[in-house]
Amino acid sequence: MVFAKKVWKLLVAIKDALALLFLLLFFGALYAVLAMRPAGGKVVDGALLLDLDGRVVEEKSQIDPVNLLLSRSAPTGEFQARDVERALRLAAKDQRIKVVVLGLSGFLGGGFVHMHDIGQAIDVVRKAGKPVLTYANIYSDDSMLLAAHASEVWVNGMGGAFVAGPGGTQMYYKGLMDRFKVKAHIYRAGTYKSYVEPYFRTDMSDPAREANNELYGALWQAWLADVRTARPKAKIDQMVSDPIAWAKASGGDFAKGAQMVGLVDRIGDEGDFNARVAQLAGAIDRKNDEDDLPYAHTDLDDWLRANPVKTDGATIGVITVAGDIVDGDAGPGNAGGDRLADLLDDHIDDGMKALVVRVDSPGGSAMAAEHIRQGLLRYKAKKIPIIVSMGNMAASGGYWVSTAGQRVFAEPGTVTGSIGVFAVIPSFEDTLKDFGVTTDGVRTTPLSGQPDVVGGFSPAVDALLQGSIESTYGKFVGIVAKARGKTPQQIDAIAQGRVWPGNDALRIGLVDQMGDLDDALAYAAKVAGLGNQPWHAQYLASKTTGWSALLGGVESRAQARSGTPSVVLDYPGFVAARQQAQITHALADLGGMMQARDAQVYCMECAALPEGAAVRQADGDWVKALARYLLN
């Protein structure tokens, strides 16, 4: 009977493997067919449709075909902020585009800096005399920030606008760990380095609360200033200062409430909105068109393909350090230290006149950050100017990387600093004792068998680990001090793991100038001595596999052609999505503690912001391993 069960399991495994192989072959054939199709890029007179079903990011993640095949859902859409900005600025100048439409019902947000910069691009379109219309079932902070810049903001009558502001609660796990007698061995350098607090506290420390109040307060004021500038007549305070009174005044109709305070202009369903766009863009006969929309339009992908980036003149390279900084070859989407160092080395002799480092990262591995920094220093040794442009965040390991720049640009909404180091390692000796498991053995030195997560840590290993963290912190402070022309003591006074918004970072000398990526590129051209010569930005990128290109194209086409958004939310749905994200974040916190990692320079305050809440997933399953073997 046992033998029969083993045979049955083997047959099931073979069946699963064959099914997976069939799927892979199917997608391979589909890719071959799509590759033979003529390239898109046709532009029609009418509307530019930016259907942002997903998140706006600094750098799109490379789609893992195995995770996609084994997942129960389609991947979350991602839109590079620079692509959206460029599309809008091009639309302002092109006579074929009569109106710009932003579909925001499926929009999942992005960092404040990206929202602010896209909002400015919308302003350029409107200054060119072209209307910009937005539609959503429900607006939250990020989508409202974009919509505030539009000429007409539409909302579904069942939806509304809900402005919450940054901040919220952080989960603490000490009580849970105490219940199961798990010991968290904490090693850190930096009074404000609060990433490890959830593992040894039940609440937020006073230093962390002080830093968070200042950071989130600055971001909130920046959000309010942006919206008030775009919509000076909007009565935002009525909504945010007393939401209960606001809800009562609108009779519980949140769409009317949003219109009442001037954040929404018109209420209607998608059919009403499409009819309005058709008036501006020109109507089409849907019977003779494959699209469900009743107006002439060009989608984002076709628009970008029809307007390729110019490559005239000298080259200014751009290397993107986005997402968690991790060891190895991870990314794009995460900043794998080895991948980015290799990428830099591969292009060092390309003849670029300058290099701009675009950083949008909350940090991560100190070793990986140093690998990237060393790769940048090799450019500096070749007398290639290095300019840093900070996006939403360049904190902790992100700031470590930024120290290689001769000039550092940030924006008021940039989160930076967090110069501190930590490590957290759990051990389970007390937990196992409750189940009758004990340990014993022979040691030749105080470090034999250490660190021992089953039998417990010795005082020697505790001292060595804390010493290592303090040493890494000293190196971090020294690197920053040398880069900023200050003493280690001066940097230590403003470091200690504390985060700073962009304007404060400028005041204390962590950055040199306020400005966006375009400002950093223009400065790079200036210091490269290009004068009035033509130049172009070349983004250094890892080679994309055929599978990733295929799956990215399928995802993009599905989003562009779909008649319904990938995420449809009313207010209860909005709350449910927030709840799911919070649970996912908690699981990521616990999973992160269990991972074996080196010293970390990571910013917890950044992870609590929407653009920093990355979820790490482990890939240990044999089916995924087999699929990767077949794909390579």
Side-chain angles (χ1 to χ4, degrees):
M1 191 66 182
V2 174
F3 176 74
K5 288 183 178 179
K6 289 182 178 179
V7 171
W8 176 252
K9 287 182 179 179
L10 177 62
L11 292 174
V12 170
I14 293 172
K15 182 263 295 181
D16 290 343
L18 289 174
L20 181 59
L21 179 61
F22 173 78
L23 286 172
L24 296 175
L25 291 173
F26 168 76
F27 277 104
L30 180 60
Y31 173 68
V33 171
L34 292 175
M36 292 186 292
R37 294 178 58 188
K42 181 181 178 182
V43 176
V44 299
D45 289 3
L48 171 61
L49 174 61
L50 305 182
D51 210 357
L52 301 182
D53 281 357
R55 296 188 59 81
V56 167
V57 297
E58 184 65 42
E59 180 182 50
K60 290 183 71 171
S61 304
Q62 185 169 339
I63 297 174
D64 186 332
V66 178
N67 284 336
L68 179 60
L69 290 173
L70 299 179
S71 175
R72 296 180 181 179
S73 59
T76 300
E78 293 182 338
F79 302 87
Q80 289 186 152
R82 65 175 182 268
D83 290 341
V84 178
E85 288 181 55
R86 190 168 75 88
L88 287 164
R89 294 181 188 276
L90 287 168
K93 302 175 183 178
D94 197 308
Q95 296 303 314
R96 293 171 294 180
I97 302 301
K98 301 175 183 176
V99 57
V100 172
V101 176
L102 272 70
L104 299 176
S105 287
F107 185 52
L108 300 178
F112 172 79
V113 166
H114 288 154
M115 299 300 99
H116 170 75
D117 293 348
I118 293 171
Q120 288 190 320
I122 293 173
D123 292 342
V124 171
V125 177
R126 293 188 61 186
K127 286 177 182 177
K130 300 181 181 184
V132 178
L133 280 68
T134 71
Y135 181 86
N137 291 336
I138 186 169
Y139 291 97
S140 59
D141 294 31
D142 293 343
S143 53
M144 194 66 253
L145 186 56
L146 292 185
H149 291 263
S151 45
E152 288 185 25
V153 180
W154 285 65
V155 71
N156 190 294
M158 297 296 291
F162 302 91
V163 177
T169 58
Q170 165 69 39
M171 285 173 277
Y172 292 80
Y173 309 108
K174 184 180 184 300
L176 176 67
M177 296 173 71
D178 288 348
R179 180 176 179 181
F180 292 98
K181 298 183 179 179
V182 177
K183 287 186 178 179
H185 300 266
I186 307 296
Y187 313 96
R188 65 171 175 168
T191 302
Y192 294 90
K193 202 64 184 173
S194 56
Y195 187 94
V196 294
E197 285 190 355
Y199 306 125
F200 73 92
R201 292 184 60 94
T202 58
D203 60 359
M204 184 179 291
S205 68
D206 290 339
R209 191 178 303 280
E210 175 191 351
N212 284 357
N213 276 330
E214 291 191 16
L215 174 66
Y216 296 154
L219 292 176
W220 175 233
Q221 291 304 315
W223 189 97
L224 287 172
D226 193 307
V227 174
R228 284 169 175 159
T229 300
R231 294 200 154 228
K233 295 182 179 180
K235 303 172 183 177
I236 308 172
D237 291 341
Q238 289 185 14
M239 174 186 288
V240 299
S241 62
D242 192 346
I244 296 177
W246 166 75
K248 287 182 178 179
S250 64
D253 188 327
F254 299 139
K256 287 185 178 178
Q259 188 180 43
M260 178 179 69
V261 298
L263 291 178
V264 163
D265 299 307
R266 304 182 70 169
I267 299 171
D269 62 22
E270 204 161 1
D272 299 327
F273 177 75
N274 289 339
R276 169 61 177 154
V277 176
Q279 292 176 354
L280 300 170
I284 59 173
D285 185 359
R286 281 186 289 183
K287 294 180 180 178
N288 300 320
D289 194 281
E290 63 178 8
D291 207 297
D292 291 333
L293 296 175
Y295 54 86
H297 68 277
T298 303
D299 63 31
L300 176 61
D301 284 342
D302 282 337
W303 180 242
L304 293 175
R305 281 194 291 268
N307 292 278
V309 176
K310 295 180 180 179
T311 57
D312 300 333
T315 299
I316 295 177
V318 183
I319 183 78
T320 303
V321 182
D324 288 356
I325 298 176
V326 297
D327 298 304
D329 296 322
N334 278 331
D338 291 343
R339 176 180 66 85
L340 290 177
D342 290 344
L343 188 60
L344 286 165
D345 288 343
D346 289 344
H347 292 275
I348 196 168
D349 295 320
D350 285 0
M352 60 185 68
K353 300 300 182 181
L355 179 69
V356 172
V357 186
R358 177 65 170 178
V359 183
D360 195 9
S361 171
S365 162
M367 182 69 74
E370 178 62 9
H371 281 175
I372 299 168
R373 189 182 76 93
Q374 289 296 332
L376 295 171
L377 293 181
R378 288 191 282 275
Y379 277 66
K380 184 173 285 189
K382 283 183 167 285
K383 308 299 182 183
I384 298 173
I386 298 176
I387 310 302
V388 172
S389 169
M390 294 179 169
N392 296 297
M393 56 185 69
S396 214
Y399 193 83
W400 187 306
V401 170
S402 300
T403 58
Q406 65 189 62
R407 193 162 188 83
V408 179
F409 286 76
E411 298 195 47
T414 298
V415 178
T416 188
S418 192
I419 301 168
V421 187
F422 73 89
V424 52
I425 308 173
S427 66
F428 305 93
E429 61 271 27
D430 293 337
T431 307
L432 295 175
K433 284 179 184 177
D434 285 351
F435 293 90
V437 179
T438 56
T439 61
D440 198 0
V442 175
R443 296 176 179 173
T444 55
T445 75
L447 296 179
S448 295
Q450 290 291 326
D452 185 352
V453 299
V454 175
F457 285 19
S458 70
V461 80
D462 270 331
L464 288 176
L465 284 167
Q466 180 61 33
S468 173
I469 293 301
E470 291 175 0
S471 174
T472 303
Y473 177 71
K475 292 175 183 176
F476 196 172
V477 168
I479 289 169
V480 175
K482 183 177 179 181
R484 305 308 303 171
K486 297 179 181 293
T487 67
Q489 292 75 22
Q490 287 174 317
I491 295 300
D492 182 60
I494 59 175
Q496 296 293 325
R498 182 160 185 165
V499 290
W500 303 92
N503 282 325
D504 285 344
L506 176 65
R507 174 179 56 80
I508 62 177
L510 289 179
V511 304
D512 298 301
Q513 185 172 336
M514 289 291 103
D516 59 16
L517 178 57
D518 288 338
D519 295 320
L521 285 165
Y523 185 85
K526 178 182 176 182
V527 297
L530 295 179
N532 295 323
Q533 300 176 46
W535 58 269
H536 69 277
Q538 177 185 330
Y539 287 82
L540 310 187
S542 304
K543 292 182 179 179
T544 303
T545 66
W547 285 99
S548 296
L550 160 68
L551 295 171
V554 169
E555 172 213 13
S556 179
R557 281 187 291 275
Q559 290 170 352
R561 304 301 180 190
S562 173
T564 57
S566 59
V567 180
V568 180
L569 299 174
D570 54 8
Y571 188 61
F574 173 71
V575 172
R578 285 285 179 90
Q579 181 187 47
Q580 184 177 10
Q582 194 172 27
I583 292 171
T584 303
H585 183 66
L587 294 175
D589 281 348
L590 293 172
M593 184 182 68
M594 299 299 294
Q595 292 177 0
R597 297 184 293 181
D598 53 10
Q600 296 290 295
V601 278
Y602 196 86
C603 166
M604 186 184 79
E605 293 85 357
C606 299
L609 295 170
E611 65 274 19
V615 178
R616 306 167 190 83
Q617 296 179 339
D619 300 327
D621 167 326
W622 73 270
V623 178
K624 293 181 181 179
L626 172 62
R628 288 198 176 88
Y629 175 78
L630 292 170
L631 287 171
N632 292 330

mmCIF file with all atom_site columns, all heavy atoms in Angstrom, residues 486-503:
data_model
loop_
_atom_site.group_PDB
_atom_site.id
_atom_site.type_symbol
_atom_site.label_atom_id
_atom_site.label_alt_id
_atom_site.label_comp_id
_atom_site.label_asym_id
_atom_site.label_entity_id
_atom_site.label_seq_id
_atom_site.pdbx_PDB_ins_code
_atom_site.Cartn_x
_atom_site.Cartn_y
_atom_site.Cartn_z
_atom_site.occupancy
_atom_site.B_iso_or_equiv
_atom_site.pdbx_formal_charge
_atom_site.auth_seq_id
_atom_site.auth_comp_id
_atom_site.auth_asym_id
_atom_site.auth_atom_id
_atom_site.pdbx_PDB_model_num
ATOM 1   N N   . LYS A 1 486 ? 32.077 67.178 5.942  1.00 0.00 ? 486 LYS A N   1
ATOM 2   C CA  . LYS A 1 486 ? 31.839 67.445 7.357  1.00 0.00 ? 486 LYS A CA  1
ATOM 3   C C   . LYS A 1 486 ? 32.629 66.453 8.200  1.00 0.00 ? 486 LYS A C   1
ATOM 4   O O   . LYS A 1 486 ? 33.212 65.485 7.681  1.00 0.00 ? 486 LYS A O   1
ATOM 5   C CB  . LYS A 1 486 ? 30.348 67.341 7.686  1.00 0.00 ? 486 LYS A CB  1
ATOM 6   C CG  . LYS A 1 486 ? 29.471 68.368 6.977  1.00 0.00 ? 486 LYS A CG  1
ATOM 7   C CD  . LYS A 1 486 ? 28.004 68.179 7.335  1.00 0.00 ? 486 LYS A CD  1
ATOM 8   C CE  . LYS A 1 486 ? 27.112 69.180 6.621  1.00 0.00 ? 486 LYS A CE  1
ATOM 9   N NZ  . LYS A 1 486 ? 27.331 70.568 7.067  1.00 0.00 ? 486 LYS A NZ  1
ATOM 10  N N   . THR A 1 487 ? 32.655 66.667 9.492  1.00 0.00 ? 487 THR A N   1
ATOM 11  C CA  . THR A 1 487 ? 33.316 65.726 10.387 1.00 0.00 ? 487 THR A CA  1
ATOM 12  C C   . THR A 1 487 ? 32.353 64.584 10.729 1.00 0.00 ? 487 THR A C   1
ATOM 13  O O   . THR A 1 487 ? 31.118 64.768 10.684 1.00 0.00 ? 487 THR A O   1
ATOM 14  C CB  . THR A 1 487 ? 33.755 66.411 11.679 1.00 0.00 ? 487 THR A CB  1
ATOM 15  O OG1 . THR A 1 487 ? 32.578 66.813 12.420 1.00 0.00 ? 487 THR A OG1 1
ATOM 16  C CG2 . THR A 1 487 ? 34.626 67.623 11.388 1.00 0.00 ? 487 THR A CG2 1
ATOM 17  N N   . PRO A 1 488 ? 32.888 63.418 11.103 1.00 0.00 ? 488 PRO A N   1
ATOM 18  C CA  . PRO A 1 488 ? 32.006 62.333 11.544 1.00 0.00 ? 488 PRO A CA  1
ATOM 19  C C   . PRO A 1 488 ? 31.110 62.743 12.705 1.00 0.00 ? 488 PRO A C   1
ATOM 20  O O   . PRO A 1 488 ? 29.960 62.300 12.801 1.00 0.00 ? 488 PRO A O   1
ATOM 21  C CB  . PRO A 1 488 ? 32.987 61.227 11.942 1.00 0.00 ? 488 PRO A CB  1
ATOM 22  C CG  . PRO A 1 488 ? 34.200 61.476 11.095 1.00 0.00 ? 488 PRO A CG  1
ATOM 23  C CD  . PRO A 1 488 ? 34.293 62.974 11.008 1.00 0.00 ? 488 PRO A CD  1
ATOM 24  N N   . GLN A 1 489 ? 31.618 63.596 13.586 1.00 0.00 ? 489 GLN A N   1
ATOM 25  C CA  . GLN A 1 489 ? 30.812 64.043 14.732 1.00 0.00 ? 489 GLN A CA  1
ATOM 26  C C   . GLN A 1 489 ? 29.614 64.876 14.273 1.00 0.00 ? 489 GLN A C   1
ATOM 27  O O   . GLN A 1 489 ? 28.505 64.769 14.821 1.00 0.00 ? 489 GLN A O   1
ATOM 28  C CB  . GLN A 1 489 ? 31.682 64.862 15.703 1.00 0.00 ? 489 GLN A CB  1
ATOM 29  C CG  . GLN A 1 489 ? 32.752 64.056 16.424 1.00 0.00 ? 489 GLN A CG  1
ATOM 30  C CD  . GLN A 1 489 ? 33.946 63.701 15.528 1.00 0.00 ? 489 GLN A CD  1
ATOM 31  O OE1 . GLN A 1 489 ? 34.174 64.374 14.508 1.00 0.00 ? 489 GLN A OE1 1
ATOM 32  N NE2 . GLN A 1 489 ? 34.683 62.660 15.903 1.00 0.00 ? 489 GLN A NE2 1
ATOM 33  N N   . GLN A 1 490 ? 29.850 65.731 13.260 1.00 0.00 ? 490 GLN A N   1
ATOM 34  C CA  . GLN A 1 490 ? 28.745 66.539 12.734 1.00 0.00 ? 490 GLN A CA  1
ATOM 35  C C   . GLN A 1 490 ? 27.681 65.659 12.083 1.00 0.00 ? 490 GLN A C   1
ATOM 36  O O   . GLN A 1 490 ? 26.474 65.912 12.239 1.00 0.00 ? 490 GLN A O   1
ATOM 37  C CB  . GLN A 1 490 ? 29.289 67.540 11.717 1.00 0.00 ? 490 GLN A CB  1
ATOM 38  C CG  . GLN A 1 490 ? 30.082 68.685 12.318 1.00 0.00 ? 490 GLN A CG  1
ATOM 39  C CD  . GLN A 1 490 ? 30.719 69.559 11.251 1.00 0.00 ? 490 GLN A CD  1
ATOM 40  O OE1 . GLN A 1 490 ? 31.275 69.068 10.268 1.00 0.00 ? 490 GLN A OE1 1
ATOM 41  N NE2 . GLN A 1 490 ? 30.644 70.872 11.436 1.00 0.00 ? 490 GLN A NE2 1
ATOM 42  N N   . ILE A 1 491 ? 28.099 64.631 11.349 1.00 0.00 ? 491 ILE A N   1
ATOM 43  C CA  . ILE A 1 491 ? 27.137 63.736 10.705 1.00 0.00 ? 491 ILE A CA  1
ATOM 44  C C   . ILE A 1 491 ? 26.416 62.882 11.741 1.00 0.00 ? 491 ILE A C   1
ATOM 45  O O   . ILE A 1 491 ? 25.196 62.672 11.664 1.00 0.00 ? 491 ILE A O   1
ATOM 46  C CB  . ILE A 1 491 ? 27.839 62.847 9.662  1.00 0.00 ? 491 ILE A CB  1
ATOM 47  C CG1 . ILE A 1 491 ? 28.384 63.706 8.516  1.00 0.00 ? 491 ILE A CG1 1
ATOM 48  C CG2 . ILE A 1 491 ? 26.880 61.792 9.121  1.00 0.00 ? 491 ILE A CG2 1
ATOM 49  C CD1 . ILE A 1 491 ? 27.329 64.497 7.777  1.00 0.00 ? 491 ILE A CD1 1
ATOM 50  N N   . ASP A 1 492 ? 27.146 62.416 12.750 1.00 0.00 ? 492 ASP A N   1
ATOM 51  C CA  . ASP A 1 492 ? 26.522 61.591 13.786 1.00 0.00 ? 492 ASP A CA  1
ATOM 52  C C   . ASP A 1 492 ? 25.391 62.348 14.469 1.00 0.00 ? 492 ASP A C   1
ATOM 53  O O   . ASP A 1 492 ? 24.369 61.762 14.846 1.00 0.00 ? 492 ASP A O   1
ATOM 54  C CB  . ASP A 1 492 ? 27.578 61.166 14.809 1.00 0.00 ? 492 ASP A CB  1
ATOM 55  C CG  . ASP A 1 492 ? 27.006 60.264 15.884 1.00 0.00 ? 492 ASP A CG  1
ATOM 56  O OD1 . ASP A 1 492 ? 26.493 59.176 15.549 1.00 0.00 ? 492 ASP A OD1 1
ATOM 57  O OD2 . ASP A 1 492 ? 27.049 60.647 17.075 1.00 0.00 ? 492 ASP A OD2 1
ATOM 58  N N   . ALA A 1 493 ? 25.555 63.647 14.602 1.00 0.00 ? 493 ALA A N   1
ATOM 59  C CA  . ALA A 1 493 ? 24.531 64.459 15.276 1.00 0.00 ? 493 ALA A CA  1
ATOM 60  C C   . ALA A 1 493 ? 23.228 64.513 14.495 1.00 0.00 ? 493 ALA A C   1
ATOM 61  O O   . ALA A 1 493 ? 22.147 64.668 15.085 1.00 0.00 ? 493 ALA A O   1
ATOM 62  C CB  . ALA A 1 493 ? 25.067 65.873 15.511 1.00 0.00 ? 493 ALA A CB  1
ATOM 63  N N   . ILE A 1 494 ? 23.289 64.398 13.158 1.00 0.00 ? 494 ILE A N   1
ATOM 64  C CA  . ILE A 1 494 ? 22.067 64.447 12.350 1.00 0.00 ? 494 ILE A CA  1
ATOM 65  C C   . ILE A 1 494 ? 21.705 63.078 11.792 1.00 0.00 ? 494 ILE A C   1
ATOM 66  O O   . ILE A 1 494 ? 20.733 62.940 11.046 1.00 0.00 ? 494 ILE A O   1
ATOM 67  C CB  . ILE A 1 494 ? 22.213 65.443 11.175 1.00 0.00 ? 494 ILE A CB  1
ATOM 68  C CG1 . ILE A 1 494 ? 23.386 65.053 10.275 1.00 0.00 ? 494 ILE A CG1 1
ATOM 69  C CG2 . ILE A 1 494 ? 22.366 66.859 11.697 1.00 0.00 ? 494 ILE A CG2 1
ATOM 70  C CD1 . ILE A 1 494 ? 23.520 65.915 9.037  1.00 0.00 ? 494 ILE A CD1 1
ATOM 71  N N   . ALA A 1 495 ? 22.492 62.059 12.164 1.00 0.00 ? 495 ALA A N   1
ATOM 72  C CA  . ALA A 1 495 ? 22.237 60.697 11.671 1.00 0.00 ? 495 ALA A CA  1
ATOM 73  C C   . ALA A 1 495 ? 21.352 59.960 12.672 1.00 0.00 ? 495 ALA A C   1
ATOM 74  O O   . ALA A 1 495 ? 20.171 60.269 12.801 1.00 0.00 ? 495 ALA A O   1
ATOM 75  C CB  . ALA A 1 495 ? 23.569 59.971 11.440 1.00 0.00 ? 495 ALA A CB  1
ATOM 76  N N   . GLN A 1 496 ? 21.929 58.992 13.366 1.00 0.00 ? 496 GLN A N   1
ATOM 77  C CA  . GLN A 1 496 ? 21.197 58.249 14.397 1.00 0.00 ? 496 GLN A CA  1
ATOM 78  C C   . GLN A 1 496 ? 19.927 57.581 13.855 1.00 0.00 ? 496 GLN A C   1
ATOM 79  O O   . GLN A 1 496 ? 18.968 57.350 14.585 1.00 0.00 ? 496 GLN A O   1
ATOM 80  C CB  . GLN A 1 496 ? 20.839 59.172 15.573 1.00 0.00 ? 496 GLN A CB  1
ATOM 81  C CG  . GLN A 1 496 ? 22.039 59.705 16.319 1.00 0.00 ? 496 GLN A CG  1
ATOM 82  C CD  . GLN A 1 496 ? 22.801 58.617 17.055 1.00 0.00 ? 496 GLN A CD  1
ATOM 83  O OE1 . GLN A 1 496 ? 22.206 57.658 17.566 1.00 0.00 ? 496 GLN A OE1 1
ATOM 84  N NE2 . GLN A 1 496 ? 24.123 58.725 17.080 1.00 0.00 ? 496 GLN A NE2 1
ATOM 85  N N   . GLY A 1 497 ? 19.910 57.322 12.540 1.00 0.00 ? 497 GLY A N   1
ATOM 86  C CA  . GLY A 1 497 ? 18.751 56.659 11.949 1.00 0.00 ? 497 GLY A CA  1
ATOM 87  C C   . GLY A 1 497 ? 17.570 57.558 11.682 1.00 0.00 ? 497 GLY A C   1
ATOM 88  O O   . GLY A 1 497 ? 16.500 57.082 11.280 1.00 0.00 ? 497 GLY A O   1
ATOM 89  N N   . ARG A 1 498 ? 17.721 58.860 11.850 1.00 0.00 ? 498 ARG A N   1
ATOM 90  C CA  . ARG A 1 498 ? 16.580 59.770 11.697 1.00 0.00 ? 498 ARG A CA  1
ATOM 91  C C   . ARG A 1 498 ? 16.315 60.076 10.225 1.00 0.00 ? 498 ARG A C   1
ATOM 92  O O   . ARG A 1 498 ? 17.235 60.267 9.440  1.00 0.00 ? 498 ARG A O   1
ATOM 93  C CB  . ARG A 1 498 ? 16.844 61.084 12.444 1.00 0.00 ? 498 ARG A CB  1
ATOM 94  C CG  . ARG A 1 498 ? 15.672 62.048 12.370 1.00 0.00 ? 498 ARG A CG  1
ATOM 95  C CD  . ARG A 1 498 ? 15.741 63.073 13.449 1.00 0.00 ? 498 ARG A CD  1
ATOM 96  N NE  . ARG A 1 498 ? 14.560 63.925 13.450 1.00 0.00 ? 498 ARG A NE  1
ATOM 97  C CZ  . ARG A 1 498 ? 14.214 64.718 14.450 1.00 0.00 ? 498 ARG A CZ  1
ATOM 98  N NH1 . ARG A 1 498 ? 14.970 64.769 15.541 1.00 0.00 ? 498 ARG A NH1 1
ATOM 99  N NH2 . ARG A 1 498 ? 13.131 65.460 14.388 1.00 0.00 ? 498 ARG A NH2 1
ATOM 100 N N   . VAL A 1 499 ? 15.038 60.137 9.873  1.00 0.00 ? 499 VAL A N   1
ATOM 101 C CA  . VAL A 1 499 ? 14.647 60.467 8.499  1.00 0.00 ? 499 VAL A CA  1
ATOM 102 C C   . VAL A 1 499 ? 14.325 61.954 8.409  1.00 0.00 ? 499 VAL A C   1
ATOM 103 O O   . VAL A 1 499 ? 13.878 62.574 9.370  1.00 0.00 ? 499 VAL A O   1
ATOM 104 C CB  . VAL A 1 499 ? 13.431 59.632 8.045  1.00 0.00 ? 499 VAL A CB  1
ATOM 105 C CG1 . VAL A 1 499 ? 13.815 58.177 7.868  1.00 0.00 ? 499 VAL A CG1 1
ATOM 106 C CG2 . VAL A 1 499 ? 12.274 59.750 9.024  1.00 0.00 ? 499 VAL A CG2 1
ATOM 107 N N   . TRP A 1 500 ? 14.555 62.501 7.203  1.00 0.00 ? 500 TRP A N   1
ATOM 108 C CA  . TRP A 1 500 ? 14.350 63.928 6.980  1.00 0.00 ? 500 TRP A CA  1
ATOM 109 C C   . TRP A 1 500 ? 13.619 64.145 5.668  1.00 0.00 ? 500 TRP A C   1
ATOM 110 O O   . TRP A 1 500 ? 13.972 63.537 4.663  1.00 0.00 ? 500 TRP A O   1
ATOM 111 C CB  . TRP A 1 500 ? 15.697 64.660 6.914  1.00 0.00 ? 500 TRP A CB  1
ATOM 112 C CG  . TRP A 1 500 ? 16.561 64.502 8.118  1.00 0.00 ? 500 TRP A CG  1
ATOM 113 C CD1 . TRP A 1 500 ? 17.526 63.556 8.314  1.00 0.00 ? 500 TRP A CD1 1
ATOM 114 C CD2 . TRP A 1 500 ? 16.543 65.306 9.307  1.00 0.00 ? 500 TRP A CD2 1
ATOM 115 N NE1 . TRP A 1 500 ? 18.112 63.715 9.546  1.00 0.00 ? 500 TRP A NE1 1
ATOM 116 C CE2 . TRP A 1 500 ? 17.528 64.788 10.174 1.00 0.00 ? 500 TRP A CE2 1
ATOM 117 C CE3 . TRP A 1 500 ? 15.796 66.420 9.703  1.00 0.00 ? 500 TRP A CE3 1
ATOM 118 C CZ2 . TRP A 1 500 ? 17.783 65.344 11.424 1.00 0.00 ? 500 TRP A CZ2 1
ATOM 119 C CZ3 . TRP A 1 500 ? 16.057 66.967 10.955 1.00 0.00 ? 500 TRP A CZ3 1
ATOM 120 C CH2 . TRP A 1 500 ? 17.034 66.435 11.797 1.00 0.00 ? 500 TRP A CH2 1
ATOM 121 N N   . PRO A 1 501 ? 12.630 65.038 5.631  1.00 0.00 ? 501 PRO A N   1
ATOM 122 C CA  . PRO A 1 501 ? 12.056 65.448 4.346  1.00 0.00 ? 501 PRO A CA  1
ATOM 123 C C   . PRO A 1 501 ? 13.049 66.328 3.596  1.00 0.00 ? 501 PRO A C   1
ATOM 124 O O   . PRO A 1 501 ? 13.985 66.878 4.189  1.00 0.00 ? 501 PRO A O   1
ATOM 125 C CB  . PRO A 1 501 ? 10.796 66.214 4.738  1.00 0.00 ? 501 PRO A CB  1
ATOM 126 C CG  . PRO A 1 501 ? 11.046 66.689 6.138  1.00 0.00 ? 501 PRO A CG  1
ATOM 127 C CD  . PRO A 1 501 ? 11.944 65.674 6.770  1.00 0.00 ? 501 PRO A CD  1
ATOM 128 N N   . GLY A 1 502 ? 12.841 66.452 2.278  1.00 0.00 ? 502 GLY A N   1
ATOM 129 C CA  . GLY A 1 502 ? 13.815 67.090 1.405  1.00 0.00 ? 502 GLY A CA  1
ATOM 130 C C   . GLY A 1 502 ? 14.282 68.459 1.847  1.00 0.00 ? 502 GLY A C   1
ATOM 131 O O   . GLY A 1 502 ? 15.487 68.743 1.867  1.00 0.00 ? 502 GLY A O   1
ATOM 132 N N   . ASN A 1 503 ? 13.365 69.353 2.220  1.00 0.00 ? 503 ASN A N   1
ATOM 133 C CA  . ASN A 1 503 ? 13.753 70.707 2.605  1.00 0.00 ? 503 ASN A CA  1
ATOM 134 C C   . ASN A 1 503 ? 14.627 70.713 3.849  1.00 0.00 ? 503 ASN A C   1
ATOM 135 O O   . ASN A 1 503 ? 15.600 71.472 3.946  1.00 0.00 ? 503 ASN A O   1
ATOM 136 C CB  . ASN A 1 503 ? 12.511 71.574 2.830  1.00 0.00 ? 503 ASN A CB  1
ATOM 137 C CG  . ASN A 1 503 ? 11.886 72.048 1.526  1.00 0.00 ? 503 ASN A CG  1
ATOM 138 O OD1 . ASN A 1 503 ? 12.599 72.320 0.562  1.00 0.00 ? 503 ASN A OD1 1
ATOM 139 N ND2 . ASN A 1 503 ? 10.568 72.128 1.479  1.00 0.00 ? 503 ASN A ND2 1
#
